[in-house]
Amino acid sequence: MNRLLAPLLLVVASSLLALVRAQEKPRPAITHEEIPAPAAAGALGANLFRAPDGRVWLSWVEPAAPGKLALRCATLDAAAKKWSAPRTISTEPTLTASQGDFPQFAINAAGRAWAIWTDGKGGARVTESRDGGATWSASAAFAPPGIGVEKFSLAVLDDGRVLAAWLDDRAKKSGGKMSALYARVLGSDAPDQLVDDAVCDCCQTELTAFLDGGALVAYRARTVDEVRDIRTARLRGNIWEAPRTLHPDNWKIAGCPMNAARLASEGGRVAAAWFTAADGDARVLASLSPD
């Protein structure tokens, strides 16, 4: 699986960036070439991250000692079409991963990196590196006990700070029926910011950052009528704008689709791609924004 998963994700990322550029340039031919990943047999939870310097990082979880998992990462040498030797981020017993929820990784231009994973008990752990991923701190709890958090996404803002977005069930603890979307800058003392108070509670989040210092998050929302379309919300400065529906698919489903949207941006241009089965018609849609 590890020989196929990383090349597939590279094709997806390349395809999204091709959509971003399509408004100004002739559509390029999309090709692919297999680049074997350095992950061990049984690996899962592959996550690609493009750093501000353009370097592509791959993180994943693989079996380590019997009964244990290891979170590892590697970088791509694009010229040689080869991955570096793996580095270990963590082998802590709190590590978990599945096809639907797996660790997230981000690194800024100064070499400060973060990794976050859910712990299998409703919480999450976060670890930090200040030397480009060579060494990592012991993990710390991401949220106070009793708050369920999952489906993280990370993005490096233009000033080098790392923004996190995630699904959060704190409202359910006080009688609410919906999970919510929250965000915060990692390492900041600022409080968590509520982005949307009604979201699908097991679909991924997705972040992309802009040169103006802001960011965009995409996720699957949920209404009282069980419409679960994709919404986006824009971060400007330190303020999250009101969420907007990306496209009115009007997909009504009394359950979780287990998927949301993917984003890619270049400058101020953004491409989004997502799955819907509204009206019983399963399809993948894409949308472009020039601004």
Side-chain angles (χ1 to χ4, degrees):
M1 178 179 69
N2 59 299
R3 287 177 61 84
L4 297 175
L5 187 54
L8 175 60
L9 289 172
L10 282 172
V11 171
V12 172
S14 298
S15 300
L16 282 173
L17 287 175
L19 285 171
V20 171
R21 300 185 178 102
Q23 291 178 313
E24 296 183 1
K25 301 177 182 178
R27 179 176 297 177
I30 297 176
T31 61
H32 78 276
E33 179 178 348
E34 181 176 334
I35 305 174
L44 77 163
N47 178 54
L48 278 177
F49 184 84
R50 186 177 63 174
D53 62 3
R55 180 177 297 185
V56 175
W57 291 73
L58 174 67
S59 64
W60 68 91
V61 174
E62 65 180 41
K68 293 186 178 182
L69 297 173
L71 174 58
R72 306 197 196 280
C73 65
T75 58
L76 178 66
D77 183 333
K81 298 180 181 178
K82 183 179 180 180
W83 292 99
S84 68
R87 298 177 182 179
T88 298
I89 297 175
S90 179
T91 56
E92 294 185 16
T94 59
L95 272 172
T96 63
S98 68
Q99 296 291 0
D101 193 21
F102 44 85
Q104 298 294 307
F105 171 93
I107 184 168
N108 66 15
R112 189 176 184 184
W114 302 81
I116 295 179
W117 62 87
T118 50
D119 62 10
K121 300 178 181 179
R125 309 292 295 182
V126 56
T127 181
E128 179 186 2
S129 171
R130 293 177 178 265
D131 54 12
T135 59
W136 293 83
S137 66
S139 72
F142 180 85
I147 295 180
V149 291
E150 62 176 342
K151 304 297 189 295
F152 287 88
S153 55
L154 302 177
V156 179
L157 300 177
D158 190 54
D159 61 6
R161 297 179 301 160
V162 174
L163 177 68
W166 69 93
L167 303 186
D168 189 300
D169 74 353
R170 70 186 71 183
K172 292 183 177 181
K173 306 298 182 182
S174 56
K177 296 182 178 180
M178 301 282 193
S179 292
L181 176 69
Y182 277 83
R184 80 164 181 249
V185 171
L186 297 181
S188 169
D189 293 330
D192 299 342
Q193 291 183 286
L194 176 64
V195 181
D196 195 323
D197 63 3
V199 301
C200 192
D201 57 11
C202 54
C203 289
Q204 290 85 355
T205 62
E206 176 82 345
L207 277 169
T208 192
F210 300 126
L211 298 178
D212 65 1
L216 186 76
V217 64
Y219 57 97
R220 193 173 292 282
R222 180 183 178 186
T223 72
V224 293
D225 298 323
E226 298 292 10
V227 174
R228 304 191 187 219
D229 287 348
I230 302 298
R231 287 181 189 162
T232 62
R234 181 76 155 87
L235 175 67
R236 295 185 189 273
N238 295 316
I239 305 298
W240 285 96
E241 297 180 344
R244 301 193 300 177
T245 298
L246 179 59
H247 182 267
D249 301 334
N250 197 34
W251 187 12
K252 279 192 173 187
I253 176 173
C256 187
M258 293 295 292
N259 60 73
R262 298 303 304 268
L263 298 173
S265 64
E266 185 176 68
R269 296 173 296 174
V270 190
W274 70 98
F275 173 83
T276 183
D279 303 317
D281 180 16
R283 58 203 186 274
V284 173
L285 302 179
S287 182
L288 303 174
S289 171
D291 56 2

